[in-house]
Amino acid sequence: MLKIGVFGCGAIGAELCKAIDSGHIDVELYAIYDRHEQATVDLKDKLRNTDPKVLEIVDMVKHVDLVVECASQQAVYEVVPAALHAKCDVMSISVGAFADQNLLKTTTDLAKEYNCKVYLPSGAIAGLDGLKSASSTSIYSVTLTTEKHPRSLAGAPYIIQNNIDLDAITGKTVIFEGMATEAVKAFPANVNVAASLSLAGIGFDRTKVKIVANPALSRNIHEINVEGEFGSFTTRVENVPSPTNPKTSYLAALSAISTLKKIADPLQVGT
Ligand SMILES: NC(=O)C1=CN([C@@H]2O[C@H](COP(=O)(O)OP(=O)(O)OC[C@H]3O[C@@H](n4cnc5c(N)ncnc54)[C@H](O)[C@@H]3O)[C@@H](O)[C@H]2O)C=CC1
Ligand SMILES: O=C([O-])CC(=O)C(=O)O
């Protein structure tokens, strides 16, 4: 059975571990880690059937087949190269980190050298399948419009650097318009989805991102518009926020669960 290490025990990490613990995914939860010890304690309390070890990344990679990063873009630098050097596969949910072309190149080079896979789940959006198919021909434009409650944008570097008073926002307000390259750094906990979209489509420098704050919203909305030689499509998800982290949509955790289930499943159905 595949041995898994989960790095980051927050909203996504906890859901993933609970899905393994309940038997929904046929893998062994061997180890977990979080820089906040209490997060590992709280998570272990919620698990009924498994008792993972708490291991730092240097030890985790010695024992597992696959490391799942669900911590932060900063953690990707620590986790992904370490896992690949140890010949572990990796799943990374903080996809925005890969806007750094050096990290992207190091990651793909190491994965090739050690014959490993790096899995980047679809996360909180729908439509990457269509975009990947369409990418075999010319794509003219890809646009992501993300609309969230202002409180979900709190703490983002862009909000802090521009002194944006989120409490003063009373109606639908465009906060940011730019390319994915800038968006994933400006809002590292809000638009990792722009990175998956860029990697599946026309790249970080051509994928447009618009971020809208809307105090009337109770859901996280991501609308994607793609135009190309194939025609055009639009997808729109209205995501229920995770109860423990309003920045994160519940669908993102479900996407990590689904990706891990697919990796573990001996039967691969569909394209
Ligand atoms: N690809 C996608 O569609 C989505 C990606 N995300 C990203 O996934 C990641 C996890 O999201 P959540 O579980 O909602 O976050 P969270 O904030 O609820 O949990 C993250 C956990 O990781 C720990 N952590 C962070 N950096 C760490 C480090 N360097 N070393 C050790 N532990 C560290 C934190 O202490 C925290 O317990 C975030 O980077 C988030 O921005 C979130 C939603 C959607
Ligand atoms: O969960 C979401 O709605 C999207 C998100 O935070 C991200 O892509 O970083």
Side-chain angles (χ1 to χ4, degrees):
M1 196 186 275
L2 211 61
K3 281 188 185 176
I4 308 295
V6 173
F7 191 98
C9 301
I12 296 176
E15 284 301 326
L16 186 67
C17 291
K18 285 194 279 175
I20 299 171
D21 185 63
S22 69
H24 182 64
I25 317 175
D26 200 13
V27 297
E28 179 186 346
L29 180 60
Y30 186 87
I32 59 172
Y33 181 75
D34 198 290
R35 66 181 167 198
H36 293 128
E37 196 188 342
Q38 193 57 43
T40 60
V41 173
D42 292 348
L43 175 55
K44 274 163 86 70
D45 270 356
K46 289 183 192 128
L47 304 177
R48 293 283 156 266
N49 306 305
T50 43
D51 187 17
K53 299 178 196 316
V54 177
L55 295 179
E56 295 202 6
I57 191 67
V58 283
D59 295 319
M60 187 187 279
V61 298
K62 290 181 193 154
H63 297 282
V64 303
D65 303 303
L66 181 138
V67 178
V68 183
E69 173 281 316
C70 30
S72 58
Q73 288 187 22
Q74 179 216 335
V76 174
Y77 288 85
E78 193 184 331
V79 172
V80 173
L84 294 173
H85 274 295
K87 300 188 180 169
C88 294
D89 291 329
V90 199
M91 188 204 295
S92 181
I93 192 88
S94 306
V95 190
F98 296 102
D100 176 344
Q101 293 301 307
N102 289 332
L103 178 70
L104 184 60
K105 185 170 182 325
T106 307
T107 300
T108 46
D109 288 351
L110 285 173
K112 275 187 205 157
E113 185 178 345
Y114 294 113
N115 198 21
C116 294
K117 293 278 185 222
V118 179
Y119 301 96
L120 307 176
S122 301
I125 50 172
L128 289 189
D129 53 348
L131 180 55
K132 279 159 68 180
S133 302
S135 293
S136 297
T137 57
S138 295
I139 305 277
Y140 309 139
S141 68
V142 179
T143 309
L144 167 73
T145 306
T146 291
E147 200 176 325
K148 291 189 177 187
H149 192 283
R151 73 170 160 261
S152 297
L153 304 173
Y158 187 88
I159 300 293
I160 295 167
Q161 281 152 20
N162 291 289
N163 288 318
I164 297 172
D165 181 2
L166 293 168
D167 292 332
I169 295 174
T170 51
K172 205 168 159 173
T173 307
V174 176
I175 298 285
F176 172 90
E177 269 185 292
M179 293 302 165
T181 324
E182 192 191 345
V184 297
K185 290 182 193 129
F187 296 89
N190 293 109
V191 287
N192 285 282
V193 288
S196 331
L197 203 58
S198 302
L199 290 165
I202 53 177
F204 288 88
D205 293 337
R206 288 181 60 211
T207 302
K208 293 177 197 143
V209 180
K210 186 170 167 180
I211 297 175
V212 181
N214 184 348
L217 279 183
S218 59
R219 294 189 174 181
N220 297 333
I221 298 175
H222 300 289
E223 188 169 301
I224 294 165
N225 296 285
V226 179
E227 303 272 347
E229 206 177 328
F230 73 99
S232 65
F233 74 77
T234 298
T235 70
R236 178 182 165 92
V237 289
E238 298 190 6
N239 286 324
V240 173
S242 152
T244 52
N245 183 355
K247 293 184 175 73
T248 289
S249 302
Y250 183 39
L251 187 67
L254 298 177
S255 168
I257 291 170
S258 165
T259 302
L260 186 55
K261 213 166 162 5
K262 185 176 169 189
I263 295 167
D265 201 334
L267 200 65
Q268 300 279 319
V269 183
T271 50

